[in-house]
Amino acid sequence: MPVAGADVAVRRAGRLAELLRRMRLVIVGGVAAGTKAAARARRVNPGLEIVLFQDEAEVSYTGCGQPYYLGGVIAGRDPLIIRRPAEFAAAGITVRTQHRVTELDLEERTVRVHDRVRDRHETLGYDRLILATGARPLIPQMPGIEADGVVSLRSIAELDRFDSALQRLRPGSAVIVGGGYVGLEVAEALRRRGLAVTLLERMERLLPRFDPELSARLQRVLRDAGVELRLGEHLAGLAAEGGRVRAVWTESGLRLPADLVVLALGIRPNVSLATAAGIRLGASGAIAVNPAQETSAAGVYAAGDCAESHHRIAGVPVWNPLGDIANLQGRVAGENAAGGHAEFPGVLGTAIFKAFDCKVGVTGLAEGAARVAGYRPITAVIETRDKARYYPGGRPVWLKLIAAAGDGRLLGAECFGSGAVDKLTDIIATALLGGLSCRDLEHADFAYAPPFSPVLSPVILAAQRLCQNLP
Amino acid sequence: MPVAGADVAVRRAGRLAELLRRMRLVIVGGVAAGTKAAARARRVNPGLEIVLFQDEAEVSYTGCGQPYYLGGVIAGRDPLIIRRPAEFAAAGITVRTQHRVTELDLEERTVRVHDRVRDRHETLGYDRLILATGARPLIPQMPGIEADGVVSLRSIAELDRFDSALQRLRPGSAVIVGGGYVGLEVAEALRRRGLAVTLLERMERLLPRFDPELSARLQRVLRDAGVELRLGEHLAGLAAEGGRVRAVWTESGLRLPADLVVLALGIRPNVSLATAAGIRLGASGAIAVNPAQETSAAGVYAAGDCAESHHRIAGVPVWNPLGDIANLQGRVAGENAAGGHAEFPGVLGTAIFKAFDCKVGVTGLAEGAARVAGYRPITAVIETRDKARYYPGGRPVWLKLIAAAGDGRLLGAECFGSGAVDKLTDIIATALLGGLSCRDLEHADFAYAPPFSPVLSPVILAAQRLCQNLP
């Protein structure tokens, strides 16, 4: 009996595998999540037909690298394109660029596709579908928004428009609207090019979700680098002359002359296709998914910037549109869509960026977010250097650890400085993965030698300080 | 009744606290563990009498920084001294330098002390004692070992002797005996000073406990930097002329001319005082301690390079003489000796060093050590760069992850390269603290931006590869 049962199971598995081999996987979107999903699906299931539609002319490009190209840190635009359609073709993945998927029929399991070059429409059936439609910048609808010199940053097309504005208009001054990561990275890029830069931020301080000390230092770094900060100012209007932008107005009546206006007001998930088809969105406005990256529709997955994530510390769904998460989610969606089994366990909200010589890293919950999530947080701040004091080249780091008052379990960290912010952030991210408390870290055995760390890591010092506040 | 009981408990605690306040803590040794223990004891118990005896003229100096001073990376000898006796005096800690504790009477609870400057002996009672006697370099007893130009590195006195040899003898060539961390760091220091350097290592490869690829690369780095490597060669003898060293011989009959001979054959725990008193040593030859850093003798603690540690992954006692561990253990010993409660949970065997542009980091168990500890290890090697490929300044890193075959639980890592070896090592050390498996890391949310990391950390890539080998 067990043998016969096993035999039946093997035969069933064989039929399923055969079925999966003849299936067609359609992927909508080809930047990080879409291309990763395609590659993973191909690896898991060599017989699967895979067709990827990409609205834009390029696939598999980096968004995160674009400010560094604009600032001249990365020479040339080519390195921003990670893989070409031909490379996917060689792996048996059909990539159709400049094809926009305009409609999704969940009943019929078809997509309607617009070939934007030939201006032709076609309908294609799918067995499995992955939505990797990404996000788009928030562009306020106001007069002048189409003027020459008003730019944004996201797609390669937007990058080219930005680049072209820099080349053609030779702007002497720029106003950046929005003090998020992109706005700050662009501020550095434009200062590197010698522009006079004004940064407009609607909140009273930069990165208002984090510690005021972090905001204050970052603001100082920006001002020292010659960026004029205008905090608590909302964009109210744009002034153009002869089709070319000349200035912005703020709601308080400020008029700021600008040869270039960079809109960096944030991004929104690109969910129109999903919404029109009746796929459920989460509270964040992005597509709701389970740990297998499955949407509310059978056979339809979502991954990357269009999808929600589970926040592992807050315990709630969040929208966390970052390149590494898109990669990881794309891999899970591709694996599952191809017949494998994978689960994405969620995010920690880890992020890092730099503006000039100031690096800012965060993971888990900031103090305020911890309160919102129902924790009673305790915190410890350590300000030190990232090498032994007597070793040359050490740079300052500021680390704030946040833990639960009862058991000292870590909830998050904020870190900034010109030193090893990435390292400290990743140590805490790993500690969060392990559910560690400050007690677990106060005697941690980290890699110490004078060129690499003070004798006790700032993480240990902060953990020791937290332990003193435990009952 | 409960109230009265609580009252009695409070009164008892009060008497105990009073008793502790009138106690005398004697600490033997004042480098890392001893001074940290003193500082912690003072903080925990402001009324405690604390007397620290230090054999040498200096307290609270760094051993780890010494090669960098010799190489000219650290300017001057002063920065190597972290704290002066006066600073301890200000905190109410009596520090007696050039005082050697020659005898320990566990029955009488006394130490016999030799004041080396006044050549006077005295006996002092203790209530609590902390042994922080450190380690000393292994010096082979052979003719010529006392010759001018034969040096070692550990204490400030040895450093001064080394330094003086460099100044006075102006050596053109050096033979370094021993290819451990210190030998390699000194090799870099002496090459920086323009000496012709030969490194003698008795094993057939450097760092034989680790992956052969790691040894091969390190050997290439050293040879490229002009270090002549002599592997599989044992020191057999020294040739001196007019009291000055001229050459070394190896057991294979090789004669290597040398104006300077650096003995870097390793160190041994300094346990003579403990042994003579009848305090139990562990299998490693260092003083056996429990997690409270208590030795086999009542009221006597040990910490730092003279004490054993529990290896958290191997589950056995090990001798792990490193500066950060000495600090952590000293803190625990000081806390407990002063009436507090702390436990040192053990070590992971984390270590890091650099030789020229090659950094080597290890944590947990290497593949061979994992087998010895009874695990069936699986491994994955990732070779990549430490930033996004298109971002300038990325440097290579090689990472080997070692996990248990059954459940994928991480056992250790080896890492090297000119890139962010310290960061990757510390991430894995934290993962080991959390008992994480490769499944926990394959979807980890680390800090990604192009200047800091590839889109997927080498840790994630290695974990993903390990997961493919799990049942």
Side-chain angles (χ1 to χ4, degrees), chain A residues 70-257:
Chain A
L70 291 174
V73 174
I74 300 170
R77 177 178 162 286
D78 275 5
L80 302 178
I81 315 287
I82 314 297
R83 277 189 199 82
R84 312 271 162 184
E87 293 177 59
F88 291 96
I93 297 163
T94 305
V95 168
R96 298 205 198 152
T97 55
Q98 304 201 61
H99 279 64
R100 176 175 292 172
V101 175
T102 53
E103 232 184 296
L104 162 59
D105 188 327
L106 297 173
E107 286 294 313
E108 297 292 324
R109 293 206 171 198
T110 58
V111 288
R112 183 87 181 144
V113 186
H114 179 213
D115 177 340
R116 299 172 67 183
V117 175
R118 292 179 197 81
D119 194 21
R120 281 201 300 232
H121 294 264
E122 62 168 320
T123 298
L124 190 77
Y126 66 81
D127 297 289
R128 301 283 167 91
L129 182 76
I130 297 176
L131 296 172
T133 46
R136 54 169 59 120
L138 194 66
I139 308 291
Q141 291 315 308
M142 52 175 66
I145 205 81
E146 301 288 346
D148 199 10
V150 180
V151 297
S152 55
L153 202 53
R154 181 85 193 162
S155 63
I156 293 289
E158 282 166 297
L159 176 69
D160 286 345
R161 192 159 174 245
F162 197 140
D163 205 16
S164 151
L166 288 172
Q167 308 294 338
R168 284 182 300 107
L169 309 179
R170 307 222 158 265
S173 66
V175 169
I176 299 169
V177 188
Y181 303 162
V182 172
L184 294 168
E185 286 168 351
V186 169
E188 179 181 351
L190 296 183
R191 283 299 296 149
R192 280 178 162 268
R193 297 181 73 120
L195 277 76
V197 173
T198 303
L199 187 75
L200 223 64
E201 165 57 45
R202 52 183 298 162
M203 305 302 281
E204 291 298 333
R205 59 181 173 103
L206 294 176
L207 306 185
R209 290 183 302 141
F210 301 113
D211 195 279
E213 182 64 20
L214 192 158
S215 305
R217 299 286 186 94
L218 180 61
Q219 287 162 199
R220 205 175 311 147
V221 166
L222 287 165
R223 285 184 169 125
D224 287 350
V227 175
E228 195 184 335
L229 283 182
R230 295 289 188 165
L231 301 173
E233 294 283 0
H234 299 225
L235 177 70
L238 294 150
E241 250 179 58
R244 195 176 150 178
V245 74
R246 293 297 176 191
V248 305
W249 279 289
T250 71
E251 287 187 3
S252 70
L254 211 59
R255 184 182 189 276
L256 301 165

Side-chain angles (χ1 to χ4, degrees), chain B residues 198-463:
Chain B
T198 303
L199 188 75
L200 224 64
E201 165 57 45
R202 51 184 297 162
M203 305 303 280
E204 292 298 332
R205 59 182 174 101
L206 294 176
L207 306 185
R209 289 184 302 141
F210 301 113
D211 195 279
E213 181 63 19
L214 192 157
S215 305
R217 299 286 187 93
L218 179 61
Q219 287 161 200
R220 206 175 311 147
V221 166
L222 288 165
R223 285 184 170 126
D224 287 350
V227 175
E228 195 184 336
L229 283 182
R230 296 288 190 167
L231 302 172
E233 294 283 0
H234 298 225
L235 176 70
L238 293 150
E241 251 178 56
R244 195 178 150 177
V245 74
R246 292 297 176 189
V248 304
W249 278 290
T250 70
E251 286 186 3
S252 70
L254 210 60
R255 185 183 188 277
L256 301 165
D259 301 329
L260 185 76
V261 174
V262 184
L263 300 171
L265 292 134
I267 55 174
R268 291 294 173 270
N270 202 352
V271 293
S272 48
L273 188 67
T275 314
I279 289 173
R280 198 169 74 78
L281 302 186
S284 70
I287 301 170
V289 291
N290 66 13
Q293 299 296 137
E294 290 172 316
T295 69
S296 61
V300 181
Y301 302 78
D305 293 356
C306 66
E308 271 190 345
S309 301
H310 168 73
H311 195 294
R312 298 174 70 158
I313 312 297
V316 295
V318 291
W319 186 49
N320 189 74
L322 293 171
D324 56 332
I325 299 304
N327 251 279
L328 295 172
Q329 289 183 345
R331 190 172 186 268
V332 168
E335 168 118 22
N336 291 328
H341 297 282
E343 294 206 340
F344 182 67
V347 299
L348 300 166
T350 313
I352 192 165
F353 75 96
K354 79 174 200 64
F356 303 96
D357 200 25
C358 184
K359 304 160 186 176
V360 179
V362 294
T363 188
L365 301 175
E367 190 175 354
R371 271 184 238 286
V372 170
Y375 292 101
R376 194 157 57 86
I378 53 173
T379 67
V381 171
I382 290 291
E383 200 163 356
T384 178
R385 296 178 82 77
D386 63 358
K387 296 182 196 296
R389 268 186 198 275
Y390 52 80
Y391 196 88
R395 290 165 303 173
V397 284
W398 179 102
L399 173 69
K400 178 177 180 177
L401 272 193
I402 299 114
D407 55 5
R409 191 177 159 125
L410 290 190
L411 299 173
E414 302 169 41
C415 187
F416 72 89
S418 56
V421 166
D422 56 328
K423 171 173 155 179
L424 300 181
T425 304
D426 278 355
I427 290 174
I428 303 302
T430 311
L432 291 173
L433 281 184
L436 298 189
S437 81
C438 53
R439 292 237 180 272
D440 297 310
L441 286 175
E442 68 166 338
H443 300 119
D445 183 2
F446 290 131
Y448 163 64
F452 300 104
S453 168
V455 66
L456 294 188
S457 160
V459 170
I460 294 178
L461 298 179

Side-chain angles (χ1 to χ4, degrees), chain B residues 9-38:
Chain B
V10 166
R11 256 185 281 131
R12 268 189 201 147
R15 277 200 300 272
L16 185 63
E18 183 52 36
L19 207 66
L20 285 166
R21 260 196 294 280
R22 277 182 271 134
M23 288 197 330
R24 179 188 292 148
L25 167 63
V26 169
I27 300 173
V28 187
V31 186
T35 54
K36 188 76 178 185

Side-chain angles (χ1 to χ4, degrees), chain A residues 230-456:
Chain A
R230 295 289 188 165
L231 301 173
E233 294 283 0
H234 299 225
L235 177 70
L238 294 150
E241 250 179 58
R244 195 176 150 178
V245 74
R246 293 297 176 191
V248 305
W249 279 289
T250 71
E251 287 187 3
S252 70
L254 211 59
R255 184 182 189 276
L256 301 165
D259 302 327
L260 185 76
V261 174
V262 184
L263 300 171
L265 292 135
I267 55 173
R268 290 294 173 268
N270 202 351
V271 293
S272 47
L273 188 66
T275 314
I279 289 173
R280 198 169 74 79
L281 302 186
S284 71
I287 301 171
V289 290
N290 66 14
Q293 299 295 137
E294 290 171 317
T295 69
S296 61
V300 181
Y301 302 78
D305 293 356
C306 66
E308 271 191 346
S309 301
H310 168 74
H311 195 293
R312 297 174 70 159
I313 311 299
V316 295
V318 291
W319 186 50
N320 189 72
L322 293 170
D324 56 332
I325 300 304
N327 251 277
L328 294 171
Q329 290 183 345
R331 190 172 185 268
V332 168
E335 168 119 23
N336 291 328
H341 296 282
E343 293 206 341
F344 182 68
V347 300
L348 299 166
T350 313
I352 192 164
F353 75 96
K354 78 174 201 62
F356 304 97
D357 200 26
C358 184
K359 304 160 185 175
V360 179
V362 295
T363 187
L365 301 175
E367 190 175 354
R371 271 184 236 285
V372 170
Y375 292 102
R376 193 157 58 87
I378 54 173
T379 67
V381 170
I382 291 291
E383 200 163 357
T384 179
R385 296 179 81 77
D386 62 358
K387 296 182 197 296
R389 269 186 196 275
Y390 53 79
Y391 196 88
R395 290 165 302 174
V397 284
W398 180 100
L399 173 68
K400 178 177 179 176
L401 271 192
I402 299 114
D407 55 5
R409 190 176 159 125
L410 290 190
L411 299 174
E414 302 169 42
C415 188
F416 73 89
S418 58
V421 166
D422 56 328
K423 171 173 155 178
L424 300 181
T425 305
D426 278 354
I427 290 174
I428 303 302
T430 311
L432 291 174
L433 282 183
L436 298 188
S437 81
C438 53
R439 291 237 180 275
D440 297 309
L441 285 175
E442 68 166 338
H443 299 118
D445 182 2
F446 290 130
Y448 163 64
F452 300 102
S453 169
V455 66
L456 294 187

Side-chain angles (χ1 to χ4, degrees), chain B residues 73-94:
Chain B
V73 174
I74 300 170
R77 175 177 162 288
D78 275 4
L80 302 178
I81 316 287
I82 314 296
R83 276 189 198 81
R84 314 271 163 184
E87 293 177 59
F88 291 96
I93 296 164
T94 305

